[in-house]
Amino acid sequence: MIHLGLWLPLLAGLVLLLWPGLGRGFAVLTSLASLAVSLYLFAEYPGEGVAYASQTPFLLEAGVYYAVGLDGAGLLLWLAVNLVVLLGVWLADVPVRFLAYTLMMQTGLLGIFAAQDLVFFYFFFEASLIPALLMLWFYGGSERLRAIYTFALFTLVGSLPMLAAVFAVRFLSGAESFLYTDLAAKPLAGPAATWAFLGFLVAFAVKTPLFPLHAWLPSFHQQNHPSGLADALGTLYKVGIFAFFKWAIPLVPEGFREWQGLLLFLAAFGALYAAWLAFSAPDWKTLLAYAGVSHMGLAALGLFSGTPEGAVGALYLLGASMVYSSAMFLFVGRVYARTGSLETRPVRGLARYAPGLYVLGMFLLMAMIGLPGLSGFPGELMVLLGAYRVAPWLTFLAFLSVIAAAAYALTAFQRLFQEAPQAQAVSDMDAREWAFAGVTVGVLLLMGLYPRLFTAYLEPLGRALGALFGGAS
């Protein structure tokens, strides 16, 4: 089943490129099938370890295997990816070719979380860029070339050191293959570990995104298609937290210890700095971009603390943010469809004409700013508790970003919905948007009220990582 779930979206995307007449219905059915597979895998997961493992020699002489499997973290993020893609292809008004690129990117994202061989992880990590760049190239705004160049430059800066690190952890450690189990059995040590971790650090910091390697993100979101679908996929591609957790720290723990202090500072400072920038965001996409940087800085602080609580909180916050941030991008896409603008400064007063849209937006914002009972709260709480044990002052600095989030998000929302109404009336939500709202609200409530459903599978991973560098006590 794992192979079906992994490759079905890619095959469907290629079919949709060849026969675009199949339309949105085909994309929705494919996404629904992918979500059904992931729900089956979640229901059958034994609770611990890597399940559904499969490995086949690919380049046996080089020690490269097509190896896939899902642990608790990978399973949670598989669910998030499949859910968000289904919501996106259901809701967004985009050309059929755009939907085809979406399905193709879905396979790349799923491969990142399922790969159990470092070379194949690197392949999926880089291949996911191609559909994202194609969506920006064909459907981006007037400044899309600058956004593409910036995105490609940051990616290239990260990819080359990472490739060097991939080979270093195998050949300098003496591991028998690129399989995760072989590499983790012989973690790289000595001076080479410091440099190998730096190679991973640059690549994964770009994809977290971690300050100061976040500068590509605002222009990327600003120039993407206004529907919000490409932005939702970009949110799913913030895989740096998972990559640090799964690969960089376990394979080069000694290197991580050398950089841990700096990483804790960058994470805490980045969380607050991005929240500050969000106050002056001229449009909703920029605001959500900086909000994402701030949230991922908070998640990184928990992970880099080395405590089990911090690691579990970071992974949970990553999964939750994939859902609520993507939903917010799709939501503002529906606002754009009504108003033709995403600016935060002009007064709109849409609540008078679209009360249903107003309530949905408020609910999504409450999840984003971490209201207790919604999906953002459990992860943030665990992150702060775990990080406080290691770096209390940095934790306080990062906590200020949580307070700031409520201020910048609610201020922008008030301008959009609650002030003097605009002259032209707009429609309220239609049936398609109500279906989107029902599913999204249900999932965000489930993650907020019953986090144990997911954290039970993350806790063994958090304890193992904490024990690796002394944070398990």
Side-chain angles (χ1 to χ4, degrees):
M1 288 293 285
I2 189 172
H3 303 293
L4 175 63
L6 177 59
W7 296 109
L8 176 61
L10 175 62
L11 295 176
L14 293 174
V15 169
L16 203 55
L17 280 179
L18 295 173
W19 293 284
L22 294 171
R24 181 198 301 272
F26 180 76
V28 170
L29 288 176
T30 300
S31 300
L32 189 60
S34 297
L35 180 60
V37 170
S38 64
L39 289 172
Y40 171 81
L41 296 177
F42 182 81
E44 295 297 318
Y45 183 68
E48 192 169 347
V50 177
Y52 319 113
S54 173
Q55 66 181 51
T56 304
F58 184 76
L59 293 173
L60 188 58
E61 297 79 4
V64 179
Y65 290 78
Y66 167 66
V68 293
L70 291 171
D71 58 16
L75 191 59
L76 170 63
L77 301 177
W78 252 55
L79 278 170
V81 167
N82 284 312
L83 173 66
V84 169
V85 170
L86 174 60
L87 293 174
V89 299
W90 168 260
L91 186 66
D93 292 323
V94 294
V96 172
R97 185 167 64 172
F98 199 109
L99 297 177
Y101 294 146
T102 298
L103 295 176
M104 295 166 70
M105 187 171 178
Q106 183 180 1
T107 285
L109 294 168
L110 296 176
I112 290 172
F113 303 127
Q116 299 297 319
D117 178 280
L118 185 54
V119 171
F120 264 89
F121 170 81
Y122 181 82
F123 167 77
F124 286 118
F125 190 79
E126 299 299 329
S128 301
L129 289 171
I130 299 173
L133 291 173
L134 289 174
M135 284 184 277
L136 185 56
W137 176 270
F138 288 116
Y139 304 105
S142 59
E143 298 292 326
R144 63 183 179 275
L145 288 181
R146 179 179 298 180
I148 289 173
Y149 293 150
T150 304
F151 187 29
L153 177 62
F154 274 82
T155 300
L156 183 64
V157 166
S159 297
L160 296 180
M162 179 183 170
L163 184 60
V166 167
F167 289 112
V169 296
R170 157 80 197 282
F171 295 109
L172 296 184
S173 68
E176 295 181 2
S177 73
F178 286 99
L179 288 171
Y180 175 82
T181 50
D182 289 340
L183 295 173
K186 292 187 176 181
L188 188 61
T194 301
W195 294 103
F197 186 84
L198 179 61
F200 286 125
L201 169 60
V202 175
F204 298 161
V206 170
K207 302 293 171 56
T208 297
L210 185 67
F211 175 87
L213 296 179
H214 69 288
W216 61 272
L217 190 64
S219 62
F220 174 82
H221 284 305
Q222 290 165 2
Q223 297 304 313
N224 262 323
H225 192 275
S227 67
L229 179 53
D231 304 291
L233 294 172
T235 298
L236 297 178
Y237 198 31
K238 293 175 183 175
V239 296
I241 297 296
F242 174 81
F244 276 118
F245 169 82
K246 173 73 176 184
W247 297 100
I249 295 175
L251 301 189
V252 203
E254 189 173 311
F256 169 76
R257 293 187 188 97
E258 293 292 327
W259 295 97
Q260 185 178 14
L262 176 62
L263 290 174
L264 285 168
F265 172 77
L266 291 177
F269 179 80
L272 185 58
Y273 174 72
W276 175 259
L277 291 178
F279 274 105
S280 58
D283 59 81
W284 274 97
K285 283 196 174 186
T286 305
L287 185 149
L288 293 176
Y290 284 124
V293 175
S294 182
H295 293 164
M296 289 302 97
L298 195 64
L301 181 70
L303 179 63
F304 296 149
S305 71
T307 61
E309 305 97 318
V312 172
L315 292 169
Y316 197 81
L317 184 57
L318 174 60
S321 70
M322 284 182 171
V323 180
Y324 63 66
S325 294
S326 298
M328 274 301 303
F329 275 117
L330 293 169
F331 168 80
V332 298
R334 303 315 299 165
V335 172
Y336 178 87
R338 288 167 168 80
T339 66
S341 173
L342 290 174
E343 295 183 9
T344 58
R345 299 189 188 281
V347 172
R348 294 293 179 184
L350 296 184
R352 174 179 177 182
Y353 305 107
L357 196 69
Y358 164 75
V359 173
L360 173 61
M362 179 61 73
F363 184 90
L364 294 177
L365 275 182
M366 292 299 102
M368 189 178 80
I369 65 179
L371 186 74
L374 299 181
S375 62
F377 179 74
E380 288 185 358
L381 179 62
M382 287 185 284
V383 160
L384 293 171
L385 290 175
Y388 183 80
R389 294 172 53 189
V390 175
W393 285 108
L394 289 178
T395 303
F396 173 75
L397 184 68
F399 177 70
L400 295 178
S401 70
V402 179
I403 301 173
Y408 66 68
L410 293 177
T411 299
F413 190 78
Q414 182 181 20
R415 291 195 186 111
L416 180 66
F417 277 100
Q418 293 181 326
E419 298 188 9
Q422 62 181 24
Q424 183 180 2
V426 299
S427 61
D428 204 358
M429 294 201 300
D430 58 25
R432 191 152 50 104
E433 291 166 336
W434 278 112
F436 164 80
V439 173
T440 304
V441 167
V443 170
L444 296 180
L445 283 172
L446 177 65
M447 296 188 72
L449 296 174
Y450 191 37
R452 183 67 182 171
L453 180 65
F454 306 99
T455 58
Y457 298 157
L458 299 177
E459 287 169 359
L461 301 173
R463 288 193 297 269
L465 192 69
L468 188 63
F469 42 87
S473 60

